[in-house]
Amino acid sequence: MGQKVKSSHHFQFRTKADIQQAVLDTLEPLKNHFTSGNSGLQLGSTAAMHNEALALMEAFSRPLWGLIPHAGGGGESDLWPIYLKGIINGTNPEHEEYWGEFVTQDQRMVEQAVFGLGLALAPHKLWDPLSELEKQQLFRWLNQINLVDHSNPNNWLMFTVLVNVGFKKVGMPYNQAIMDEYLEAIDTYYLGDGWYSDGKTDQRDYYVPFGMHYYTLIYAKLMEHDDPERAKVYRERAKTFAEQFIYWFAEDGSCLPFGRSQTYRFAQVSFWCALVFAGVEPFSLGVMKGIIMRHFRWWFAKPIFTSDGLLSIGYAYPNLIMGESYNAPGSPYWGYKAFILLDLPDDHPFWTAEEEPLPPLRPLSAQPHARMILCRPDDEGHVVALASGQMANFELAHNAAKYSKFAYSTRFGFSVPKGYYGLAQGAYDSTLALCENDEHYRVRRYCEEYVIDEQYVYSRWLPWRDVEVRTWLIPAGMWHVRIHRILSSRYLTAAEGGFAVGRMTDYTLREADAVEAAPGRIAAMMPSGISGVVNVQGYTNAVMIYPEANTNLLKPRTMIPTLTVQMQPGEHLLISSIFGASNNEENQRHYGLPPVVEKTPEGRIIVSDAETKTVYFSLEN
């Protein structure tokens, strides 16, 4: 019988044995949920865009991302007999739980990739125990990926490559021509400076590290002798990317919440795990071990498992609101891609390396390919991204919230709307929300223009065809300044939201006492952090918005300090200063010293530090 996941303190994440045990303990509850033929896992009653049969198969497949490297690195699990029975039945056309045929792009292609990895890393578990007939049936079912009309022109191409690598490793027929074709296509997605796009799309999100780089690093390792030139290129690109991606991680192990597929959680660190697996060291093993282990500890201290011990859809807690249309109950187990490093032998130097902190990093890292500036505004490791100009090229739920807010934060996360009627349902943190009727708000979505400079982020966006907003985001120490030039033909209400901060959880504290309000400014001095906004020009009110529950990725109950103004048709200049930090006396002092924003007689806008007078930004009128 299965059992619940042990308490978070059980998972120390310091040794290989710790990680091996975490995989075993977190997969133990699955035993209660296999279908009668073992080829599916029924992990919940919610649905995704694909049908229930595919959801069962997805849930069966994704835990293998942890179980396969666990076995490849010498681990044993009593789940293997169950999985073998499921594989035998799932690939048998005569069985009622057969995984089925497909002739075009299909969710099964996504899940086939891990079987290719299994043939390469753990044939003693996945292949050798099968009879000749069972091997042929598995081969035939997997080989469908070589016969489809076309594959998704993005990271999906690597699923076909991994299946063929697996065929090659166990001596079965493989399609070298399609591998070459798809790997050449992958090269056309390379943007330079370590960055890929995920196909011909506009988004630059986690599918770069846990998609494009992750799969090409696995290829680099598995095919380093068969295809040394490509392996070398993939390693070099990943090394270059790592020098920028490290800025997305905070010292406490958290990583920047941004973009789609956040429910894959610790897949955020799978890139670093794949680097170690492939023998790439852009930083010392100690630095990479610190990133990986702190990340695991950060996640496993969160309530991400259900009471039955299953991974939930959500981020820092179970939350369907922020999920994607393709997130079925088993989808979160894609996070187990991070366990690829368990394939490393016991004597690999990674396991004996001492964890090191992050290396010295610049306060600001302008990353034009990501279309953001990564800011490290304090000594506590808080990471803030000032973002502009990208959106997913297909219509995701809460697309604008996931890609087009002004700021994303490891401390405060970001919020998604629960509805679009009023500010509480919209949960408009870190954005400018505009409406005509005080009911339905519009925010920045697609940008007509954008600039990523070393000192600012600029965008021009059109919430209506006759309303133009030009926005500058300026990092200023522990603050950032937002400047909006608005040209409007409409009567509008504007609401400028700061960071969403977690509300009180202790009944002995009065929440009202933690709200600090003064003319033109308001802040929440909460145990989970300080979030404040200050009017510099253009706003008339400072209010605290209490959004609907479960709108924020990190905290289920939040509050958002917000500036508002009613605007007539015409041209308007709105300027605000936004603060976000942990709550201590020194940071409370910093909140009392917002940046100085001056307008010169010549019409320039200058942003400078209140204490040192350091100029951060100068805008010509």
Side-chain angles (χ1 to χ4, degrees), residues 165-464:
V165 170
F167 287 164
K168 182 180 175 74
K169 293 296 183 180
V170 295
M172 296 299 286
Y174 62 95
N175 192 323
Q176 185 65 52
I178 203 170
M179 290 172 69
D180 289 337
E181 177 188 347
Y182 286 2
L183 291 172
E184 287 167 10
I186 292 292
D187 281 343
T188 69
Y189 307 149
Y190 186 65
L191 303 171
D193 304 318
W195 285 85
Y196 287 90
S197 60
D198 184 19
K200 301 299 183 182
T201 67
D202 202 41
Q203 66 206 79
R204 311 286 182 263
D205 54 21
Y206 280 102
Y207 281 83
V208 179
F210 70 41
M212 309 303 283
H213 277 298
Y214 181 83
Y215 299 127
T216 53
L217 282 167
I218 289 176
Y219 182 89
K221 174 63 174 179
L222 297 179
M223 298 291 285
E224 57 188 343
H225 301 299
D226 302 270
D227 193 358
E229 288 304 314
R230 279 198 182 103
K232 180 181 178 182
V233 167
Y234 294 151
R235 286 185 164 108
E236 289 174 348
R237 290 175 180 173
K239 185 175 183 179
T240 302
F241 178 77
E243 294 167 357
Q244 298 166 77
F245 189 47
I246 196 170
Y247 281 88
W248 293 49
F249 286 78
E251 188 62 50
D252 66 358
S254 61
C255 192
L256 190 74
F258 172 78
R260 66 187 178 107
S261 296
Q262 293 300 301
T263 199
Y264 300 152
R265 294 185 172 105
F266 41 92
Q268 291 171 332
V269 85
S270 61
F271 166 76
W272 297 99
C273 300
L275 282 174
V276 178
F277 171 77
V280 184
E281 296 184 28
F283 301 96
S284 70
L285 281 178
V287 166
M288 292 196 290
K289 187 173 185 177
I291 292 171
I292 292 167
M293 298 303 195
R294 288 190 298 271
H295 190 74
F296 280 138
R297 291 195 289 269
W298 188 89
W299 274 115
F300 279 77
K302 300 288 184 287
I304 60 177
F305 291 92
T306 69
S307 59
D308 292 330
L310 304 176
L311 265 183
S312 62
I313 295 173
Y315 195 68
Y317 60 94
N319 186 352
L320 281 174
I321 297 173
M322 47 71 66
E324 316 296 356
S325 62
Y326 49 81
N327 289 156
S331 295
Y333 285 88
W334 225 32
Y336 280 55
K337 291 163 68 176
F339 294 127
I340 186 70
L341 82 173
L342 283 180
D343 188 70
L344 299 176
D346 293 351
D347 61 354
H348 191 283
F350 176 83
W351 301 120
T352 54
E354 292 292 327
E355 288 185 38
E356 298 176 29
L358 291 172
L361 298 172
R362 301 187 306 276
L364 301 178
S365 172
Q367 299 189 1
H369 290 294
R371 303 179 191 179
M372 58 178 63
I373 299 176
L374 276 297
C375 312
R376 311 181 78 83
D378 54 44
D379 294 330
E380 298 169 348
H382 181 204
V383 178
V384 175
L386 300 183
S388 180
Q390 67 160 292
M391 280 279 282
N393 283 23
F394 54 98
E395 197 52 51
L396 295 161
H398 311 309
N399 217 344
K402 292 170 181 175
Y403 287 95
S404 289
K405 287 185 185 285
F406 301 145
Y408 294 88
S409 160
T410 55
R411 176 172 293 281
F412 301 103
F414 68 89
S415 303
V416 299
K418 201 170 187 178
Y420 293 89
Y421 189 97
L423 295 176
Q425 289 185 10
Y428 297 115
D429 61 338
S430 299
T431 194
L432 178 69
L434 301 166
C435 77
E436 289 188 286
N437 51 18
D438 288 326
E439 295 177 355
H440 301 286
Y441 284 81
R442 298 189 182 192
V443 296
R444 186 175 71 173
R445 291 176 60 80
Y446 291 98
C447 295
E448 306 299 313
E449 302 170 6
Y450 70 91
V451 174
I452 307 299
D453 187 82
E454 293 292 331
Q455 292 181 304
Y456 66 90
V457 171
Y458 164 79
S459 63
R460 184 174 74 87
W461 47 289
L462 306 174
W464 290 267

Side-chain angles (χ1 to χ4, degrees), residues 449-568:
E449 302 170 6
Y450 70 91
V451 174
I452 307 299
D453 187 82
E454 293 292 331
Q455 292 181 304
Y456 66 90
V457 171
Y458 164 79
S459 63
R460 184 174 74 87
W461 47 289
L462 306 174
W464 290 267
R465 280 180 288 183
D466 56 355
V467 177
E468 178 192 71
V469 185
R470 290 188 289 158
T471 295
W472 289 262
L473 308 173
I474 302 103
M478 299 181 75
W479 295 79
H480 70 271
V481 173
R482 303 178 191 169
I483 302 173
H484 307 292
R485 289 194 184 275
I486 301 173
L487 187 61
S488 173
S489 300
R490 301 168 183 252
Y491 291 89
L492 294 175
T493 298
E496 183 80 73
F499 293 111
V501 62
R503 295 178 65 180
M504 294 290 192
T505 58
D506 190 336
Y507 289 116
T508 65
L509 301 174
R510 277 175 42 86
E511 193 166 83
D513 294 339
V515 176
E516 183 178 291
R521 62 190 295 163
I522 191 167
M525 304 287 183
M526 308 302 285
S528 58
I530 303 172
S531 174
V533 294
V534 175
N535 171 47
V536 177
Q537 179 175 326
Y539 299 98
T540 55
N541 295 294
V543 297
M544 191 66 69
I545 302 298
Y546 298 88
E548 290 270 350
N550 308 316
T551 47
N552 186 263
L553 268 68
L554 291 178
K555 299 292 184 180
R557 296 174 67 249
T558 60
M559 52 207 300
I560 304 173
T562 302
L563 302 171
T564 65
V565 64
Q566 304 281 337
M567 299 185 298
Q568 295 186 353

